[in-house]
Amino acid sequence: CWGLLLHQPCSVPAISRQAQTTKKIFISWLLFLSLPDCPPLGLESLRVDDSQIQASSYQRSGLGPHRGRLNIQSGIEDGDLYDGAWCAEYKDQHQWLQVDAIYHTLFTGVILQGRNSIWSWDWVHTYKVQLSNDSVNWETCMNGTEEAIFEGNQNPETPVLGRLPVPTVARFIRINPQTWYFNGTICLRAEIMGCRVDDPTDIYASERELGSKDDLDFRHHNYKEMRKLMKSVTEECPDITHVYTIGKSYMGFKLYVMVISDNPSKHELGEPEFRYVAGMHGNEVLGRELVLNLMQYLCREYKKGNQRVVRLVTETRIHLLPSMNPDGYEDAYVKGSELAGWADGRYSFEGIDLNHNFPDLNNIMWDAQETAADKSKVSNHYIPIPEYYTKEDAMVAPETRAVISWMQDIPFVLSANLHGGELVVTYPFDCTRDWAPVEDTPTADNAFFRWLATVYASTNLVMANPDRRICHSEDFQSHNNIINGGAWHTVPGSMNDFSYLHTNCFEVTVELSCDKFPHASELPIEWENNKESLLVYMEQVGIKGVIRDKLTKQGIADAVIKVEDHDHDIRSAADGDYWRLLNPGEYKVVVWAEGYFPSMRRCNVGMEPHPTICDFTMTKTPLQRLKEIRAKGGKIPQDLQLRLRALRLPR
C-alpha cells in the first residue's frame, strides 16, 4: 500500500488491491513529494459539492455536514437552516466528518475552525485523521507506532493547520474529533489540503482541467511584487500606461494607481474617467489580483489589436487602484490564503474599517430635507464634507483621506468597489434612514444602479449559474444576485454613498467570491469568472457633452445638469465637459450656471454601446456681462445698455 511504500503506518490497505493497475499513478504521485504545499480541495470555495461531504450524525439540517466548510458564516439566528458549522448529534469519540475527493488525492493536511455563532462557543481541541479508498475500510494516520493526534482549535475563529506526518494517497478522508471545548459540543468547520494524483489512463482528465487561456501572472502579489508587476506592464505598454500615487497608508505603503488610456497622463475633453478600487478590506484579496490581471490583459490585448480593448483604451481613461488597504493585506498575506481567517487583515493598521470611514452625507441630506420648508431647495449632490470630519484629530484613516482627495481631483463618472466573501453586487444607498439595520433605501437613480449591478452579475460566470450553492446564509439568487446595500445591511459612511453624494461618480460594490482569500491555484478560473464582467461594466453609457459660453466658446465649469424626474444632479468638470449615466430613453435636460440663462434640451439615449452627445451653449445674463466689464474697467457695449434699460422698465 502507499503508506507502506513510504515506510509510514498511515496506510490504506484497500488501495493495495489496485497496486498493479495503478503503478503509473504511484510514479506520478512520487513527483508530488517535491511540492512544498498542496492546494485546498475547495470546501471553502464550494468547489467541493455538498454531496461529497458526509457525517456520522448531525444535530439538525442547519448544522449538517454541508455546513462544515472553512470560514462559513452563520445566519443571525441559531436554529435556522444556515448555522455556522457541522455539529455532531452525540458527544463521543465516534463522530466524524467525511470528504470524498472523487479522485485519488495526495492528502497533506487538515485545517480546522470552530463554530461561527454569536450565541454558542463550540470547537474541537484534538482529532484523528482516517483515510480510505473505498469508504468501507479505514486506517487511522499514524505517528510512528501510535495513532496521530492533531491539535485543533482554542477558539472558534482562528484556523489551525494540522499536517499529516507523511502525505498519503487515498480518495476519502475523515476528521474524527477526540476532545472538544468543555462547555460546548462537537462542532467544526474544515478545509482539506491535497494534490490530485493524475491517472494516465484517464483520457478525459485534460478536459476537466479548469484555468484560463490568458497568459497572466496568476499568483498572489505582496506589496513588492505588486510594484514589480505594475512596472513590468508600464514597460510593456509605455504609450498607454501611467503609474501615480494618491497617498500613503498608515505604515507608509504607497497607494499606487495605474492609468490605462491612449493619453494616460491627462484628462481629455469629453473622455470619461473610470476607476476600479480593490483591497479596501485587506483580506479580501481576489479584487487585488483581478485588477492586476486586468492591467496585463488590457496592455497585451491592445497590442494585439483587440478592437473591443482598443475602443475602451482610446475612449476611456481607466484608473486601477489594486490595494486601498496595503497594511491589512500584508497582515493577511503573511498568514496565507487558508489561515488568515475571516477577519485578519480586514481593517487598517489603526483598526479602522475603511468602508465605514467616509463622511456620512446621507443623514446630512435627509435631515436637511426633513426640516426644509421646500425640499426641492435642498442640495441633492456635491454635499460638502462636514467640518468635524476635516479636523486633524478626526478618526479618519490616511487611506480614506487619500481616496477622498483622489475623488475630488479627477471627475470620475463610474466606479466599482471590489470586495469578497459573498457573491452579489450591491448598489446605493448602503446607509439606511433612521439607522434601521435592514431597509431598502433607493437613490434617485435606482433604476440605473440596478442596471449597473445587473450588468456585472449577469455576466459573472458563477453568479449567473442557477445551480450554484449559496455562500453562507443569504440566497441572493432570489434577487438575481443584486441587492440594495441597505436592504442587505446598513453601512453608514460607505465609499459608494459618499461617491454618489459628494461627486458625480456612480459606484457599486461587487462581492466577488465566497472565499475572501482564494488559493493561488484558483486565480485562473476566478479571472475567467470575472473577465467579461470587468470589461462590460466599463462600457456603460448615458449622455455626455460640453457646456460652453456662447460668445467665447470656452467650457463652463461647475454647471449643474438636471434631468427631469431624476432628483439627483451632477456638475460639469473644469473644461465644461460632463457625463450623465442614464438608461435608454428620452430625457429633458436643463443646465444651470451662475451668471447664465438656463439652457434646455431633449436628449435621447439609445441602445447603442456609446454615449449620446448632448452639448449645451449658454448665454450670459446682462447683469453678469455688466459685472465682468466693470471688473475690467471696460466700456459697456450699446446692446448691453439697451438690455439693461429693458430690465429696468416696469412690466
Side-chain angles (χ1 to χ4, degrees):
C1 70
W2 306 113
L4 291 175
L5 286 166
L6 283 169
H7 306 291
Q8 167 64 33
C10 188
S11 58
V12 186
I15 206 170
S16 65
R17 294 193 291 269
Q18 306 170 4
Q20 290 186 351
T21 60
T22 56
K23 183 177 180 180
K24 290 182 179 179
I25 300 177
F26 177 63
I27 293 173
S28 65
W29 166 74
L30 288 176
L31 298 176
F32 282 113
L33 296 180
S34 63
L35 296 176
D37 290 298
C38 281
L41 291 191
L43 275 77
E44 181 178 12
S45 67
L46 305 186
R47 195 165 64 248
V48 172
D49 189 74
D50 285 351
S51 63
Q52 294 173 242
I53 313 172
Q54 298 182 15
S56 53
S57 66
Y58 52 92
Q59 293 179 15
R60 50 184 166 76
S61 177
L63 293 168
H66 64 293
R67 302 296 294 176
R69 298 173 180 271
L70 190 73
N71 284 321
I72 203 164
Q73 302 295 293
S74 68
I76 296 297
E77 300 291 337
D78 279 3
D80 62 17
L81 294 175
Y82 305 107
D83 220 318
W86 161 67
C87 291
E89 182 178 5
Y90 308 106
K91 293 185 184 182
D92 61 46
Q93 295 180 335
H94 303 296
Q95 304 305 304
W96 45 260
L97 182 74
Q98 172 183 312
V99 178
D100 178 2
I102 304 296
Y103 307 104
H104 290 128
T105 300
L106 180 69
F107 292 112
T108 61
V110 172
I111 299 175
L112 234 57
Q113 265 178 326
R115 177 181 177 180
N116 176 253
S117 171
I118 60 175
W119 311 107
S120 304
W121 276 41
D122 301 292
W123 60 83
V124 169
H125 279 309
T126 60
Y127 62 97
K128 296 179 181 179
V129 172
Q130 299 168 341
L131 299 164
S132 173
N133 203 50
D134 58 8
S135 76
V136 176
N137 300 286
W138 293 87
E139 286 290 330
T140 301
C141 260
M142 306 294 287
N143 189 7
T145 59
E146 298 180 347
E147 293 183 341
I149 301 294
F150 296 87
E151 292 293 327
N153 304 106
Q154 299 299 319
N155 63 63
E157 293 298 331
T158 304
V160 175
L161 170 64
R163 294 185 182 274
L164 272 61
V166 173
T168 306
V169 172
R171 172 174 166 175
F172 299 88
I173 185 168
R174 276 182 180 176
I175 301 168
N176 173 214
Q178 296 298 296
T179 60
W180 44 91
Y181 178 54
F182 77 96
N183 203 27
T185 188
I186 298 174
C187 293
L188 62 85
R189 294 173 287 167
E191 183 61 89
I192 308 297
M193 310 301 288
C195 298
R196 178 180 165 183
V197 179
D198 291 331
D199 182 353
T201 65
D202 184 357
I203 61 174
Y204 301 106
S206 61
E207 297 179 14
R208 289 193 296 268
E209 290 298 319
L210 301 176
S212 174
K213 294 180 180 179
D214 296 322
D215 184 20
L216 307 177
D217 189 4
F218 293 119
R219 60 192 175 95
H220 290 295
H221 298 77
N222 62 17
Y223 179 75
K224 181 178 179 181
E225 292 163 342
M226 179 187 74
R227 290 179 55 185
K228 186 176 180 181
L229 183 146
M230 295 175 73
K231 184 174 184 292
S232 71
V233 173
T234 59
E235 290 172 347
E236 187 174 353
C237 294
D239 295 335
I240 63 167
T241 60
H242 170 64
V243 174
Y244 64 96
T245 65
I246 61 172
K248 292 183 179 181
S249 71
Y250 183 85
M251 293 299 292
F253 292 113
K254 292 181 179 179
L255 306 182
Y256 286 105
V257 177
M258 176 177 286
V259 182
I260 299 180
S261 185
D262 59 340
N263 194 350
S265 298
K266 67 176 183 178
H267 173 72
E268 292 186 276
L269 187 70
E271 186 169 275
E273 306 274 354
F274 176 92
R275 70 173 183 257
Y276 275 128
V277 177
M280 169 178 269
H281 294 145
N283 63 330
E284 298 170 14
V285 306
L286 179 56
R288 175 192 184 102
E289 298 308 324
L290 290 177
V291 166
L292 294 175
N293 292 155
L294 185 61
M295 294 175 186
Q296 297 173 286
Y297 179 82
L298 292 176
C299 165
R300 293 171 186 177
E301 292 301 306
Y302 181 85
K303 290 175 67 177
K304 291 177 184 177
N306 180 323
Q307 287 304 299
R308 184 186 192 185
V309 171
V310 169
R311 181 172 55 81
L312 269 173
V313 171
T314 56
E315 296 180 4
T316 313
R317 192 163 176 240
I318 303 164
H319 302 250
L320 304 174
L321 171 60
S323 185
M324 181 179 168
N325 180 8
D327 297 352
Y329 176 83
E330 294 299 312
D331 182 30
Y333 178 83
V334 169
K335 295 174 182 175
S337 64
E338 313 310 316
L339 299 178
W342 189 250
D344 290 352
R346 173 185 176 90
Y347 305 101
S348 72
F349 185 85
E350 299 171 278
I352 297 173
D353 187 331
L354 300 183
N355 203 33
H356 292 256
N357 197 223
F358 287 79
D360 176 9
L361 305 183
N362 305 55
N363 283 290
I364 292 175
M365 180 181 70
W366 293 330
D367 290 346
Q369 289 173 346
E370 288 181 4
T371 57
D374 184 357
K375 292 184 179 180
S376 65
K377 301 296 184 182
V378 177
S379 177
N380 60 27
H381 72 296
Y382 273 51
I383 298 173
I385 295 173
E387 184 180 352
Y388 75 84
Y389 190 89
T390 62
K391 294 181 178 179
E392 288 188 12
D393 59 350
M395 193 63 175
V396 183
E399 298 89 343
T400 309
R401 293 189 190 276
V403 169
I404 289 175
S405 179
W406 184 41
M407 290 178 173
Q408 293 171 332
D409 289 344
I410 297 174
F412 289 113
V413 181
L414 181 60
S415 172
N417 183 8
L418 306 181
H419 285 239
E422 258 298 351
L423 280 166
V424 68
V425 183
T426 74
Y427 53 90
F429 285 122
D430 291 329
C431 182
T432 59
R433 287 177 179 261
D434 303 318
W435 305 101
V438 174
E439 183 179 66
D440 187 48
T441 313
T443 66
D445 289 284
N446 191 56
F448 190 78
F449 270 120
R450 287 181 59 83
W451 169 252
L452 283 178
T454 299
V455 161
Y456 199 102
S458 64
T459 53
N460 179 280
L461 298 184
V462 179
M463 292 188 203
N465 179 4
D467 298 322
R468 76 169 178 88
R469 182 194 186 282
I470 65 171
C471 289
H472 303 285
S473 61
E474 300 274 0
D475 183 10
F476 290 115
Q477 282 189 302
S478 63
H479 303 282
N480 295 315
N481 301 301
I482 68 170
I483 193 169
N484 172 263
W488 185 15
H489 57 264
T490 186
V491 182
S494 79
M495 186 164 73
N496 289 5
D497 289 1
F498 175 81
S499 180
Y500 182 68
L501 292 175
H502 187 68
T503 76
N504 290 338
C505 188
F506 287 28
E507 181 174 277
V508 302
T509 291
V510 183
E511 299 282 351
L512 294 162
S513 68
C514 302
D515 188 349
K516 288 186 175 184
F517 199 145
H519 191 270
S521 62
E522 296 168 4
L523 295 179
I525 189 61
E526 290 291 2
W527 165 251
E528 290 299 319
N529 290 340
N530 288 277
K531 178 169 68 173
E532 176 61 22
S533 305
L534 291 166
L535 295 173
V536 74
Y537 186 80
M538 290 190 285
E539 296 171 331
Q540 300 316 297
V541 298
I543 62 173
K544 76 171 187 177
V546 181
I547 301 166
R548 291 186 171 93
D549 184 289
K550 184 177 181 179
L551 292 177
T552 67
K553 309 303 180 185
Q554 295 296 308
I556 301 172
D558 285 325
V560 177
I561 298 94
K562 294 177 175 288
V563 178
E564 188 177 46
D565 299 325
H566 286 65
D567 191 22
H568 181 79
D569 307 330
I570 64 164
R571 298 198 184 195
S572 58
D575 296 327
D577 46 352
Y578 79 94
W579 306 262
R580 182 57 163 96
L581 297 170
L582 293 164
N583 283 327
E586 185 179 66
Y587 299 92
K588 178 183 175 182
V589 183
V590 180
V591 176
W592 300 74
E594 186 177 355
Y596 291 86
F597 290 111
S599 179
M600 188 276 284
R601 282 193 62 181
R602 291 196 175 273
C603 305
N604 186 70
V605 179
M607 300 297 293
E608 300 81 8
H610 54 76
T612 299
I613 306 299
C614 207
D615 294 328
F616 289 83
T617 299
M618 303 192 75
T619 302
K620 284 180 181 174
T621 64
L623 291 176
Q624 179 66 23
R625 288 180 63 192
L626 177 63
K627 181 179 178 181
E628 292 178 0
I629 290 170
R630 283 178 171 173
K632 295 178 181 178
K635 185 178 179 181
I636 301 173
Q638 187 175 3
D639 71 309
L640 180 56
Q641 292 181 35
L642 292 172
R643 296 194 67 179
L644 290 169
R645 191 175 302 136
L647 288 173
R648 298 191 193 101
L649 292 176
R651 296 179 184 271

